[in-house]
Amino acid sequence: MGTEFVIFAVSKFMIMKKSIIAVALLFVCGAVFFSSCEKADPQPQYQYLATFYVGGNEGLEGACIYKDSVIVHKLDSNSTISGLAAMSDGVYACGTIWDMTAYVQTPALWKDGVRVDVGDVEGAFGNMVNNGTKWMCCGSFKGDDGYHGVIFENGKEVFRSETPVRFLCMDYGISGDYYVVASDDKGLNLWHIAADTKTVKETSSVAVNDGDYRWSASSIYVGSVNIIIGLAKTKTTSADSEAFCWLDGDILSLGPDCVVNAVAFADGYYVAGGCKVTEKTEMGSPKSTVAVQWVNGNPQDFSLGCTGNSDVRLLMNWEDQFFFQCVQAQGQFQICLGGVLFGEVKTSELFGVSCWDATIELVPVK
Protein backbone atom coordinates (compact mmCIF):
# COMPACT_ATOMS: atom_id res chain seq x y z
CA MET A 1 0.00 0.00 0.00
CA GLY A 2 1.19 3.51 -0.79
CA THR A 3 1.19 6.51 1.47
CA GLU A 4 -2.13 8.37 1.65
CA PHE A 5 -1.43 12.11 1.45
CA VAL A 6 -4.12 14.10 3.24
CA ILE A 7 -4.27 17.87 2.85
CA PHE A 8 -6.29 19.49 5.57
CA ALA A 9 -5.88 23.03 4.27
CA VAL A 10 -5.74 25.11 1.15
CA SER A 11 -2.08 26.10 1.27
CA LYS A 12 -1.09 29.57 0.18
CA PHE A 13 2.28 29.95 -1.49
CA MET A 14 5.11 29.82 1.03
CA ILE A 15 8.57 30.89 0.01
CA MET A 16 10.85 28.74 2.16
CA LYS A 17 11.30 25.05 2.79
CA LYS A 18 10.92 24.84 6.55
CA SER A 19 10.62 21.27 7.81
CA ILE A 20 12.83 18.20 7.68
CA ILE A 21 10.26 15.87 9.26
CA ALA A 22 8.45 13.68 6.71
CA VAL A 23 4.79 13.60 7.65
CA ALA A 24 1.64 13.29 5.59
CA LEU A 25 -0.67 15.49 7.69
CA LEU A 26 0.34 19.12 7.90
CA PHE A 27 -2.47 21.60 7.48
CA VAL A 28 -5.99 22.07 8.81
CA CYS A 29 -8.87 23.55 6.82
CA GLY A 30 -12.55 23.04 6.03
CA ALA A 31 -13.60 24.23 9.50
CA VAL A 32 -17.20 24.04 10.64
CA PHE A 33 -19.04 27.34 10.17
CA PHE A 34 -22.05 28.44 12.24
CA SER A 35 -24.45 31.32 11.74
CA SER A 36 -23.78 34.31 13.98
CA CYS A 37 -27.48 34.90 14.65
CA GLU A 38 -28.91 31.44 15.13
CA LYS A 39 -27.83 27.97 16.00
CA ALA A 40 -27.36 25.80 12.92
CA ASP A 41 -26.75 22.15 12.31
CA PRO A 42 -23.02 21.40 12.06
CA GLN A 43 -21.79 21.33 8.50
CA PRO A 44 -19.63 18.39 7.43
CA GLN A 45 -15.87 18.75 7.47
CA TYR A 46 -13.89 17.96 4.36
CA GLN A 47 -10.34 16.99 3.62
CA TYR A 48 -8.32 16.80 0.43
CA LEU A 49 -6.86 13.46 -0.57
CA ALA A 50 -3.80 13.80 -2.81
CA THR A 51 -2.30 11.03 -4.92
CA PHE A 52 1.05 11.71 -6.57
CA TYR A 53 2.40 9.97 -9.65
CA VAL A 54 6.14 10.53 -10.07
CA GLY A 55 8.12 9.30 -13.06
CA GLY A 56 11.86 8.93 -13.26
CA ASN A 57 14.81 7.04 -14.65
CA GLU A 58 17.10 4.47 -13.05
CA GLY A 59 20.08 4.41 -15.38
CA LEU A 60 20.35 1.15 -17.33
CA GLU A 61 17.33 -0.20 -15.44
CA GLY A 62 15.04 2.05 -17.46
CA ALA A 63 12.14 4.21 -16.30
CA CYS A 64 9.46 3.64 -13.69
CA ILE A 65 6.44 5.39 -12.18
CA TYR A 66 5.75 5.77 -8.47
CA LYS A 67 2.23 6.09 -7.10
CA ASP A 68 2.91 7.91 -3.85
CA SER A 69 5.69 5.77 -2.31
CA VAL A 70 5.27 2.56 -4.34
CA ILE A 71 6.50 1.70 -7.86
CA VAL A 72 3.38 0.77 -9.85
CA HIS A 73 4.79 0.67 -13.38
CA LYS A 74 8.16 -0.49 -14.67
CA LEU A 75 8.70 0.71 -18.22
CA ASP A 76 11.00 -0.74 -20.87
CA SER A 77 14.53 -1.48 -19.65
CA ASN A 78 16.05 0.84 -22.25
CA SER A 79 13.58 3.68 -21.71
CA THR A 80 13.56 7.17 -20.28
CA ILE A 81 10.40 8.97 -19.18
CA SER A 82 9.89 12.69 -19.71
CA GLY A 83 6.19 13.29 -19.03
CA LEU A 84 3.08 11.75 -17.50
CA ALA A 85 -0.58 12.52 -16.96
CA ALA A 86 -2.94 10.92 -14.45
CA MET A 87 -6.31 10.66 -16.21
CA SER A 88 -9.62 9.07 -15.23
CA ASP A 89 -8.98 6.04 -17.47
CA GLY A 90 -5.33 5.47 -16.57
CA VAL A 91 -1.85 6.91 -16.20
CA TYR A 92 -0.24 7.99 -19.47
CA ALA A 93 3.45 8.62 -19.97
CA CYS A 94 5.78 9.66 -22.75
CA GLY A 95 9.50 9.30 -23.28
CA THR A 96 12.15 7.62 -25.35
CA ILE A 97 13.42 4.13 -26.13
CA TRP A 98 17.19 3.99 -26.65
CA ASP A 99 19.05 1.60 -28.92
CA MET A 100 22.56 1.97 -27.54
CA THR A 101 24.04 -0.29 -30.23
CA ALA A 102 22.73 1.68 -33.21
CA TYR A 103 22.64 5.01 -31.31
CA VAL A 104 19.01 5.48 -32.32
CA GLN A 105 16.18 6.87 -30.17
CA THR A 106 12.52 6.08 -30.68
CA PRO A 107 9.57 8.03 -29.23
CA ALA A 108 7.37 6.06 -26.85
CA LEU A 109 3.98 6.36 -25.19
CA TRP A 110 2.66 4.18 -22.37
CA LYS A 111 -0.72 3.65 -20.77
CA ASP A 112 -0.49 2.09 -17.30
CA GLY A 113 3.01 0.89 -18.17
CA VAL A 114 2.05 -0.73 -21.50
CA ARG A 115 3.46 0.64 -24.77
CA VAL A 116 1.09 2.44 -27.12
CA ASP A 117 1.94 2.37 -30.83
CA VAL A 118 3.13 5.70 -32.28
CA GLY A 119 4.50 4.31 -35.54
CA ASP A 120 7.96 3.31 -36.71
CA VAL A 121 9.85 6.58 -36.45
CA GLU A 122 13.06 7.94 -34.99
CA GLY A 123 12.74 10.72 -32.46
CA ALA A 124 11.79 11.57 -28.88
CA PHE A 125 9.01 13.06 -26.79
CA GLY A 126 9.34 16.00 -24.42
CA ASN A 127 6.95 16.88 -21.61
CA MET A 128 3.28 16.03 -21.12
CA VAL A 129 0.41 18.17 -19.82
CA ASN A 130 -3.29 17.59 -19.18
CA ASN A 131 -6.29 19.82 -18.70
CA GLY A 132 -8.49 17.28 -16.97
CA THR A 133 -10.22 15.98 -20.10
CA LYS A 134 -7.32 15.44 -22.48
CA TRP A 135 -3.56 14.98 -22.34
CA MET A 136 -0.98 16.37 -24.72
CA CYS A 137 2.71 15.92 -25.33
CA CYS A 138 5.20 17.35 -27.79
CA GLY A 139 8.23 15.85 -29.44
CA SER A 140 10.52 15.70 -32.44
CA PHE A 141 10.16 13.10 -35.19
CA LYS A 142 12.81 12.57 -37.85
CA GLY A 143 11.88 13.13 -41.50
CA ASP A 144 13.77 13.16 -44.79
CA ASP A 145 14.93 16.75 -44.24
CA GLY A 146 15.54 16.65 -40.49
CA TYR A 147 13.47 16.62 -37.30
CA HIS A 148 9.97 18.06 -37.25
CA GLY A 149 8.03 19.14 -34.20
CA VAL A 150 4.91 17.12 -33.37
CA ILE A 151 2.06 17.35 -30.88
CA PHE A 152 0.07 14.33 -29.72
CA GLU A 153 -3.33 14.69 -28.11
CA ASN A 154 -4.94 11.70 -26.37
CA GLY A 155 -2.49 9.39 -28.13
CA LYS A 156 -2.94 10.68 -31.69
CA GLU A 157 -0.76 13.05 -33.67
CA VAL A 158 -2.64 16.32 -34.23
CA PHE A 159 0.13 18.64 -35.42
CA ARG A 160 3.44 18.39 -37.30
CA SER A 161 5.60 21.36 -38.28
CA GLU A 162 6.04 21.96 -41.99
CA THR A 163 9.67 23.01 -41.59
CA PRO A 164 12.44 21.24 -39.64
CA VAL A 165 12.38 22.22 -35.97
CA ARG A 166 12.48 20.44 -32.60
CA PHE A 167 9.70 20.86 -30.05
CA LEU A 168 11.21 20.89 -26.54
CA CYS A 169 8.32 21.55 -24.14
CA MET A 170 4.72 22.74 -24.19
CA ASP A 171 1.81 23.97 -22.11
CA TYR A 172 -1.77 24.93 -22.86
CA GLY A 173 -3.44 28.30 -22.23
CA ILE A 174 -6.82 29.02 -20.66
CA SER A 175 -8.30 29.06 -24.19
CA GLY A 176 -7.01 25.52 -24.76
CA ASP A 177 -4.46 26.66 -27.35
CA TYR A 178 -0.97 25.14 -27.35
CA TYR A 179 2.22 27.04 -26.55
CA VAL A 180 5.39 25.25 -27.59
CA VAL A 181 9.08 26.10 -27.24
CA ALA A 182 10.80 25.21 -30.52
CA SER A 183 14.52 24.91 -31.21
CA ASP A 184 16.52 25.25 -34.43
CA ASP A 185 20.06 26.23 -35.36
CA LYS A 186 19.28 29.92 -34.85
CA GLY A 187 17.92 29.61 -31.33
CA LEU A 188 14.58 29.27 -29.55
CA ASN A 189 11.10 30.40 -30.56
CA LEU A 190 7.67 30.33 -28.94
CA TRP A 191 4.92 28.86 -31.12
CA HIS A 192 1.25 29.65 -30.44
CA ILE A 193 -0.90 26.96 -32.08
CA ALA A 194 -4.70 27.07 -32.26
CA ALA A 195 -6.25 24.02 -30.60
CA ASP A 196 -9.35 24.00 -32.83
CA THR A 197 -7.75 24.41 -36.26
CA LYS A 198 -4.29 23.01 -35.37
CA THR A 199 -2.65 25.91 -37.21
CA VAL A 200 0.14 28.25 -36.13
CA LYS A 201 -1.25 31.57 -34.91
CA GLU A 202 2.06 33.23 -34.10
CA THR A 203 5.76 32.58 -33.57
CA SER A 204 8.05 34.85 -31.58
CA SER A 205 11.76 34.78 -30.81
CA VAL A 206 12.82 33.72 -27.31
CA ALA A 207 16.64 33.61 -27.56
CA VAL A 208 19.22 33.70 -30.37
CA ASN A 209 22.35 31.55 -30.54
CA ASP A 210 25.73 33.06 -31.32
CA GLY A 211 29.20 31.61 -31.94
CA ASP A 212 30.04 31.30 -28.26
CA TYR A 213 26.75 30.22 -26.66
CA ARG A 214 23.69 28.10 -27.41
CA TRP A 215 20.29 28.32 -25.75
CA SER A 216 18.09 25.47 -24.55
CA ALA A 217 14.75 25.32 -22.72
CA SER A 218 13.71 23.02 -19.89
CA SER A 219 10.13 24.07 -19.19
CA ILE A 220 7.27 26.43 -19.96
CA TYR A 221 4.31 27.59 -17.89
CA VAL A 222 1.37 29.50 -19.34
CA GLY A 223 -0.51 31.53 -16.77
CA SER A 224 -3.79 33.38 -17.15
CA VAL A 225 -1.90 36.49 -18.31
CA ASN A 226 1.83 35.78 -18.47
CA ILE A 227 4.11 33.12 -19.95
CA ILE A 228 7.40 32.00 -18.42
CA ILE A 229 10.09 29.71 -19.88
CA GLY A 230 13.07 28.15 -18.10
CA LEU A 231 16.29 28.60 -20.10
CA ALA A 232 19.95 27.65 -20.09
CA LYS A 233 22.73 29.49 -21.91
CA THR A 234 25.68 27.14 -22.42
CA LYS A 235 29.12 27.73 -23.88
CA THR A 236 29.76 25.93 -27.14
CA THR A 237 33.27 24.96 -26.03
CA SER A 238 32.42 23.61 -22.55
CA ALA A 239 29.58 22.66 -20.22
CA ASP A 240 29.64 26.04 -18.43
CA SER A 241 26.07 27.26 -18.19
CA GLU A 242 23.91 30.06 -16.80
CA ALA A 243 20.23 29.85 -15.88
CA PHE A 244 17.63 32.31 -17.13
CA CYS A 245 13.88 32.82 -17.27
CA TRP A 246 12.09 34.26 -20.28
CA LEU A 247 9.14 36.26 -18.98
CA ASP A 248 6.84 37.80 -21.59
CA GLY A 249 9.76 38.82 -23.81
CA ASP A 250 12.27 39.73 -21.09
CA ILE A 251 15.23 37.45 -20.32
CA LEU A 252 16.02 37.44 -16.60
CA SER A 253 19.21 35.92 -15.20
CA LEU A 254 19.05 33.51 -12.26
CA GLY A 255 22.83 33.41 -12.01
CA PRO A 256 25.91 31.64 -13.41
CA ASP A 257 26.57 27.99 -12.51
CA CYS A 258 22.86 27.47 -11.96
CA VAL A 259 20.32 25.13 -13.56
CA VAL A 260 16.58 25.75 -13.90
CA ASN A 261 14.38 22.67 -14.31
CA ALA A 262 10.85 23.99 -13.82
CA VAL A 263 8.95 27.27 -13.81
CA ALA A 264 5.51 28.41 -12.66
CA PHE A 265 3.45 31.29 -11.31
CA ALA A 266 2.08 31.31 -7.76
CA ASP A 267 0.26 34.08 -5.89
CA GLY A 268 1.56 36.74 -8.26
CA TYR A 269 5.19 35.57 -8.12
CA TYR A 270 7.19 33.91 -10.84
CA VAL A 271 8.90 30.84 -9.46
CA ALA A 272 11.74 28.70 -10.80
CA GLY A 273 13.12 25.46 -9.40
CA GLY A 274 16.58 24.04 -9.95
CA CYS A 275 19.99 23.98 -8.35
CA LYS A 276 23.23 25.86 -7.77
CA VAL A 277 26.36 24.06 -8.99
CA THR A 278 28.90 24.18 -6.15
CA GLU A 279 31.55 21.97 -7.77
CA LYS A 280 32.28 21.06 -11.40
CA THR A 281 34.13 18.31 -13.21
CA GLU A 282 37.18 19.11 -15.34
CA MET A 283 34.86 19.41 -18.34
CA GLY A 284 32.68 21.93 -16.53
CA SER A 285 29.64 19.72 -15.94
CA PRO A 286 27.95 19.71 -12.48
CA LYS A 287 29.58 17.53 -9.81
CA SER A 288 28.00 18.90 -6.64
CA THR A 289 24.66 20.73 -6.49
CA VAL A 290 22.38 22.39 -3.94
CA ALA A 291 18.62 22.62 -4.46
CA VAL A 292 17.38 26.17 -5.06
CA GLN A 293 14.01 27.81 -5.58
CA TRP A 294 13.90 31.32 -7.04
CA VAL A 295 10.95 33.60 -6.24
CA ASN A 296 10.90 36.66 -8.50
CA GLY A 297 14.58 35.95 -9.13
CA ASN A 298 15.58 35.70 -5.44
CA PRO A 299 17.28 32.38 -4.59
CA GLN A 300 16.28 30.26 -1.61
CA ASP A 301 18.12 27.18 -0.35
CA PHE A 302 15.85 24.15 -0.69
CA SER A 303 18.37 21.49 0.39
CA LEU A 304 17.16 21.14 3.99
CA GLY A 305 16.85 17.46 4.89
CA CYS A 306 18.61 16.30 1.71
CA THR A 307 21.60 13.94 1.55
CA GLY A 308 24.25 14.45 -1.10
CA ASN A 309 23.44 16.45 -4.20
CA SER A 310 20.00 18.05 -4.26
CA ASP A 311 17.88 19.66 -6.94
CA VAL A 312 14.37 21.14 -7.22
CA ARG A 313 13.24 19.07 -10.19
CA LEU A 314 9.55 19.88 -10.53
CA LEU A 315 6.94 22.51 -9.63
CA MET A 316 3.16 22.19 -9.75
CA ASN A 317 0.53 24.88 -9.23
CA TRP A 318 -2.48 22.62 -8.93
CA GLU A 319 -5.51 24.60 -10.12
CA ASP A 320 -4.23 27.67 -8.22
CA GLN A 321 -5.06 25.94 -4.92
CA PHE A 322 -1.89 24.09 -3.97
CA PHE A 323 1.72 24.81 -4.87
CA PHE A 324 3.93 21.71 -4.82
CA GLN A 325 7.69 21.27 -5.22
CA CYS A 326 9.51 18.00 -5.90
CA VAL A 327 13.09 17.91 -4.62
CA GLN A 328 15.56 15.25 -5.74
CA ALA A 329 18.24 14.07 -3.33
CA GLN A 330 20.47 11.03 -3.03
CA GLY A 331 18.29 7.93 -2.64
CA GLN A 332 15.05 9.84 -2.22
CA PHE A 333 12.71 12.48 -3.50
CA GLN A 334 10.71 14.89 -1.38
CA ILE A 335 7.32 16.43 -2.06
CA CYS A 336 6.81 19.87 -0.54
CA LEU A 337 3.51 21.70 -0.19
CA GLY A 338 3.99 25.45 -0.36
CA GLY A 339 7.60 25.09 0.79
CA VAL A 340 6.91 22.72 3.71
CA LEU A 341 7.89 19.07 3.52
CA PHE A 342 4.78 17.01 2.78
CA GLY A 343 6.17 13.57 1.98
CA GLU A 344 9.45 11.74 1.47
CA VAL A 345 9.93 8.67 -0.73
CA LYS A 346 12.99 6.43 -0.59
CA THR A 347 14.36 5.30 -3.96
CA SER A 348 17.39 3.57 -5.41
CA GLU A 349 20.58 5.61 -5.52
CA LEU A 350 20.30 5.88 -9.32
CA PHE A 351 16.71 7.09 -9.50
CA GLY A 352 16.26 10.56 -10.97
CA VAL A 353 12.89 12.35 -11.02
CA SER A 354 11.81 13.70 -14.41
CA CYS A 355 8.01 14.24 -14.36
CA TRP A 356 4.89 14.04 -12.22
CA ASP A 357 1.19 14.62 -11.89
CA ALA A 358 -1.34 14.56 -9.06
CA THR A 359 -5.00 13.82 -8.50
CA ILE A 360 -6.70 15.60 -5.62
CA GLU A 361 -10.24 15.01 -4.44
CA LEU A 362 -12.34 16.63 -1.76
CA VAL A 363 -13.95 14.06 0.54
CA PRO A 364 -15.91 14.37 3.79
CA VAL A 365 -14.20 13.49 7.05
CA LYS A 366 -15.72 10.35 8.54
Side-chain angles (χ1 to χ4, degrees):
M1 297 293 292
T3 301
E4 185 178 68
F5 294 96
V6 182
I7 307 173
F8 282 113
V10 176
S11 170
K12 287 298 184 181
F13 177 54
M14 304 170 80
I15 59 175
M16 292 295 287
K17 184 180 177 187
K18 295 180 178 179
S19 175
I20 61 173
I21 301 174
V23 294
L25 309 182
L26 290 177
F27 301 101
V28 176
C29 187
V32 179
F33 294 94
F34 296 91
S35 169
S36 60
C37 58
E38 64 178 341
K39 185 176 181 180
D41 294 331
Q43 298 298 309
Q45 284 187 303
Y46 290 88
Q47 64 187 14
Y48 290 92
L49 296 182
T51 301
F52 293 91
Y53 298 86
V54 179
N57 308 298
E58 293 193 281
L60 297 178
E61 296 298 318
C64 64
I65 298 173
Y66 280 84
K67 180 180 179 181
D68 294 332
S69 60
V70 177
I71 295 177
V72 291
H73 299 302
K74 280 275 192 181
L75 307 184
D76 300 62
S77 60
N78 53 344
S79 65
T80 58
I81 181 175
S82 55
L84 64 80
M87 308 300 293
S88 60
D89 64 336
V91 178
Y92 294 87
C94 66
T96 305
I97 303 296
W98 296 85
D99 185 336
M100 303 307 295
T101 302
Y103 298 103
V104 173
Q105 55 182 357
T106 303
L109 292 177
W110 295 268
K111 179 183 179 181
D112 293 330
V114 179
R115 288 277 296 279
V116 177
D117 183 31
V118 296
D120 184 15
V121 62
E122 184 177 341
F125 279 118
N127 72 318
M128 181 178 283
V129 294
N130 82 74
N131 65 1
T133 60
K134 58 185 177 182
W135 56 269
M136 296 142 280
C137 59
C138 67
S140 305
F141 285 11
K142 190 174 183 180
D144 295 336
D145 56 347
Y147 284 90
H148 290 250
V150 297
I151 295 175
F152 274 60
E153 183 176 280
N154 288 346
K156 296 182 179 180
E157 183 180 326
V158 296
F159 180 87
R160 184 175 296 221
S161 66
E162 295 181 355
T163 56
V165 67
R166 292 176 184 263
F167 282 178
L168 304 180
C169 50
M170 71 172 294
D171 199 5
Y172 57 88
I174 56 175
S175 66
D177 285 353
Y178 314 135
Y179 293 83
V180 186
V181 182
S183 172
D184 58 25
D185 291 338
K186 295 181 180 179
L188 302 176
N189 294 284
L190 178 62
W191 290 38
H192 179 187
I193 300 170
D196 52 357
T197 62
K198 306 300 188 292
T199 57
V200 180
K201 284 187 173 181
E202 182 183 12
T203 63
S204 54
S205 177
V206 172
V208 179
N209 297 330
D210 58 32
D212 298 322
Y213 292 91
R214 293 186 63 85
W215 290 88
S216 60
S218 61
S219 54
I220 179 174
Y221 188 92
V222 180
S224 58
V225 177
N226 307 106
I227 298 175
I228 187 170
I229 303 171
L231 302 175
K233 183 180 181 182
T234 307
K235 283 188 176 181
T236 55
T237 56
S238 71
D240 291 335
S241 181
E242 183 173 355
F244 293 85
C245 284
W246 182 94
L247 181 60
D248 294 328
D250 295 325
I251 294 183
L252 311 173
S253 175
L254 299 178
D257 298 328
C258 292
V259 178
V260 56
N261 301 313
V263 290
F265 296 111
D267 282 4
Y269 300 95
Y270 75 85
V271 188
C275 64
K276 171 72 175 178
V277 179
T278 57
E279 184 180 358
K280 301 180 184 179
T281 65
E282 292 183 358
M283 297 299 294
S285 58
K287 184 177 181 180
S288 298
T289 61
V290 174
V292 177
Q293 176 178 268
W294 290 268
V295 179
N296 280 1
N298 298 311
Q300 301 165 341
D301 189 338
F302 245 62
S303 64
L304 191 64
C306 295
T307 301
N309 292 339
S310 59
D311 193 2
V312 179
R313 290 288 177 89
L314 303 167
L315 301 174
M316 183 191 306
N317 187 354
W318 192 89
E319 295 188 358
D320 289 325
Q321 294 186 64
F322 307 102
F323 191 75
F324 297 107
Q325 299 99 340
C326 185
V327 182
Q328 176 76 61
Q330 184 177 343
Q332 67 175 7
F333 63 83
Q334 300 173 346
I335 296 174
C336 299
L337 171 57
V340 176
L341 191 61
F342 186 56
E344 184 178 71
V345 177
K346 299 298 183 182
T347 69
S348 71
E349 295 292 316
L350 295 177
F351 182 79
V353 171
S354 59
C355 53
W356 69 347
D357 201 2
T359 59
I360 301 177
E361 57 180 328
L362 183 65
V363 297
V365 177
K366 295 181 180 179

